Amino acid sequence: MSPDARDLEQIRLARSNPPPHGDAASAGACRSGEEAFARLYDRHATVVRALCRVQLRSEEEADDALQETFIRAYRKLDMVQDAEGVRSWLYAIARLVCAERRRSARRRDLHEQRARNLAERTGVVNAAPHQPDMAEAVAGFPAAQADRAEQLDRLSRALEQLPDDERLALHLYYLESDPIAAASECLGVSRSGFYKLLTRGRERLASLMTRAHA
């Protein structure tokens, strides 16, 4: 039995056979189920978040989608038919959450565009709030921290320039215990297709980082 299947069974057992409320056994059963779900989260959150980031427009949206994915998963764990397929099920929830968020974003963009058009016609001007740049963000940091922040920022910008499939391939390779199976589920590619994406992603990322450092 896989770790996912064991944790799922532990959660189901805690839910289906709760001991009398208020005693030590009840508290222990609750903790056992919560700890099992925490392990599921720790095991899959990074890749689920990477999948969300590929489909959404910002880091903040990806973080929100990650949390929404696991909230829904927790509520619907009893719907899982195949205990060995928890990962695929989580990915399916994440794709649904992201699709809903994209539709919501399109509606929001439409409303905002209409508001801007109205503002232009009526002469109303809204000043955009100041957004601190990277230099301001690291001002006052110790030199080592500032250097690290700059390197991470450079890497983040380079990753953002990769095609979506190459960026997700890199995430899967470095973060997923079984990247081939995960790539088949997330990207719909074969083993050879995954490694082609991975190679292109690495080469493109190295080139972008070199240019950024020059």
Side-chain angles (χ1 to χ4, degrees), residues 3-43:
D4 283 346
R6 284 195 298 272
D7 286 333
L8 183 59
E9 288 304 313
Q10 192 166 349
I11 295 167
R12 284 175 169 170
L13 183 62
R15 286 182 172 183
S16 61
N17 298 303
H21 180 70
D23 59 13
S26 177
C30 290
R31 282 197 302 273
S32 177
E34 291 169 358
E35 290 168 359
F37 188 78
R39 288 192 295 271
L40 282 177
Y41 180 91
D42 291 341
R43 198 175 295 126

Side-chain angles (χ1 to χ4, degrees), residues 62-213:
D63 289 337
D64 290 344
L66 170 65
Q67 298 306 316
E68 178 66 20
T69 295
F70 278 91
I71 288 171
R72 294 190 188 188
Y74 185 78
R75 292 171 178 167
K76 298 180 179 181
L77 278 173
D78 293 337
M79 297 175 61
V80 179
Q81 300 298 318
D82 177 12
E84 300 292 339
V86 173
R87 179 176 62 189
S88 300
W89 180 67
L90 287 171
Y91 292 168
I93 295 175
R95 285 191 288 269
L96 176 62
V97 169
C98 290
E100 291 174 354
R101 286 180 172 271
R102 288 196 303 272
R103 287 194 294 270
S104 177
R106 285 195 293 270
R107 290 193 296 269
R108 185 169 61 250
D109 288 345
L110 179 61
H111 293 324
E112 290 176 354
Q113 184 59 53
R114 288 172 175 169
R116 285 194 294 270
N117 292 342
L118 179 61
E120 290 173 2
R121 288 197 299 270
T122 58
V124 175
V125 178
N126 293 318
H130 171 67
Q131 297 292 334
D133 60 19
M134 187 62 191
E136 290 177 277
V138 301
F141 277 24
Q145 290 181 329
D147 287 345
R148 178 171 175 77
E150 183 179 353
Q151 291 169 5
L152 290 173
D153 183 65
R154 202 159 51 230
L155 175 61
S156 178
R157 290 198 303 267
L159 283 168
E160 287 298 313
Q161 295 178 63
L162 295 180
D164 289 346
D165 53 358
E166 293 177 13
R167 183 167 61 250
L168 183 55
L170 285 166
H171 281 297
L172 293 175
Y173 181 78
Y174 288 107
L175 301 174
E176 177 60 58
S177 60
D178 187 356
I180 305 302
S184 176
E185 294 167 3
C186 291
L187 294 166
V189 296
S190 64
R191 179 188 183 90
S192 62
F194 170 68
Y195 280 110
K196 287 178 183 177
L197 282 174
L198 183 63
T199 299
R200 289 204 303 268
R202 283 171 165 169
E203 292 173 351
R204 200 188 308 268
L205 183 63
S207 176
L208 289 167
M209 291 295 289
T210 299
R211 291 205 298 269
H213 187 68

